Amino acid sequence: GIRQSGKTTTLKRMIHEAGELGYTVLVIDVKAKPHGIPDFADIGKSVQIHLKQATEYGVDPLALKGLLESASRMRINFQFYELIEACKGSHTIGDVLSKVKNALQETKLHPIRREKLGVLELLLKTLWEEMETVNYSNVLRIDEGCINVMDITKYSDAFKQMVVRSVAESVRQEFTEIIVVFDEAHVHIPQGYSSASKRPVTILVKEGGGSKQYVWAADQTIKETEKDVLKQMGLWIVGRQME
């Protein structure tokens, strides 16, 4: 449903009823709020941000490529070989950034390679500096049988995708009778381009039902959200649409 059509109000009512039925609910509060409190700040227990990709993305150039593409809204195909090389032997995004910086210091660096490395340095530096400011946990710590709220409203879309990816992977591996809730679905499961969170959320939606692992996602528009994920969701609540 479009803005002011009742998405948050509906979700809050559903979340309370799920809690009364004994489900563990984890709300990932993602919608930026320049003024006022986040949408879900008043419905459950606040929990620590969960982020385990800090040590995994550096050795996975494909995942890092998707993350940088979705953060910058540009293709990284031209720079992908340099990214692959920087990821070899790295354990964190910081390691990858250091290798890119070192490569830029080489003498007689070809202008085309310098351009590729310069773009990567800018994108990686922005992401790594944000990660360094956050107090996060490599382990998903939530109270089972309760409503939990993870507030990531003030962070960038790239960082939000990393958190959603971490949560989706941990829920799939470790929990049952749990509902994961997030708004702004087009950020995490976008239609037409990659993101860091798209694959693990897709897996959770497709395979989690048998383990009573569920996803509730909301957005203003159907158009910008990945249809391969939406068609796996058995129940839609559709409000006003503009297309």
Side-chain angles (χ1 to χ4, degrees):
I2 62 174
R3 187 177 305 169
Q4 300 298 316
S5 62
K7 296 188 300 295
T8 301
T9 302
T10 304
L11 278 173
K12 284 183 175 181
R13 177 62 179 269
M14 293 167 61
I15 288 165
H16 280 301
E17 292 189 4
E20 291 172 357
L21 291 171
Y23 276 89
T24 302
V25 182
L26 173 57
V27 182
I28 309 176
D29 203 351
V30 299
K31 187 179 290 185
K33 285 283 185 179
H35 306 288
I37 63 174
D39 284 341
F40 297 96
D42 58 345
I43 68 166
K45 175 190 173 183
S46 177
V47 297
Q48 188 176 15
I49 292 172
H50 174 47
L51 183 63
K52 62 180 182 179
Q53 274 73 26
T55 58
E56 292 180 6
Y57 276 157
V59 296
D60 186 353
L62 282 172
L64 185 53
K65 177 177 182 287
L67 180 64
L68 296 179
E69 285 185 343
S70 58
S72 63
R73 296 296 192 270
M74 62 180 286
R75 300 295 182 187
I76 310 295
N77 297 337
F78 184 59
Q79 299 86 4
F80 189 39
Y81 176 78
E82 298 293 345
L83 185 63
I84 292 172
E85 290 298 304
C87 285
K88 290 179 179 177
S90 298
H91 298 287
T92 69
I93 293 176
D95 294 340
V96 179
L97 176 59
S98 294
K99 288 187 178 182
V100 170
K101 287 182 175 181
N102 290 338
L104 279 167
Q105 300 304 313
E106 294 178 10
T107 58
K108 298 181 180 180
L109 189 64
H110 194 282
I112 293 178
R113 189 173 181 224
R114 182 179 298 278
E115 179 184 350
K116 295 178 182 178
L117 291 168
V119 170
L120 290 177
E121 180 187 30
L122 174 64
L123 298 179
L124 289 165
K125 182 180 178 182
T126 301
L127 179 58
W128 183 245
E129 287 179 348
E130 182 176 37
M131 291 172 61
E132 290 285 83
T133 67
V134 181
N135 177 25
Y136 59 83
S137 170
N138 291 322
V139 178
L140 179 56
R141 295 189 174 97
I142 58 177
D143 285 351
E144 297 190 47
C146 299
I147 298 172
N148 304 266
V149 180
M150 188 179 296
D151 180 6
I152 55 173
T153 54
K154 65 182 181 180
Y155 301 107
S156 68
D157 284 353
F159 185 84
K160 291 173 183 177
Q161 288 175 17
M162 294 173 67
V163 172
V164 170
R165 173 176 178 145
S166 298
V167 168
E169 290 178 344
S170 294
V171 165
R172 187 72 188 101
Q173 296 167 2
E174 302 169 19
F175 293 88
T176 187
E177 295 192 357
I178 183 170
I179 300 166
V180 179
V181 184
F182 59 83
D183 202 346
E184 304 293 305
H186 70 277
V187 173
H188 312 290
I189 42 175
Q191 176 74 35
Y193 61 91
S194 62
S195 78
S197 51
K198 192 171 186 175
R199 184 171 181 272
V201 171
T202 302
I203 292 172
L204 184 60
V205 171
K206 286 185 174 182
E207 302 177 3
S211 302
K212 295 187 177 181
Q213 301 163 333
Y214 303 109
V215 173
W216 292 354
D219 209 331
Q220 291 193 22
T221 172
I222 296 170
K223 179 181 178 182
E224 297 178 1
T225 308
E226 175 59 52
K227 305 306 180 291
D228 191 43
V229 181
L230 291 185
K231 70 185 181 183
Q232 302 293 329
M233 294 185 172
L235 178 64
W236 291 21
I237 303 174
V238 183
R240 293 173 58 201
Q241 291 290 293
M242 297 306 292
E243 75 255 357

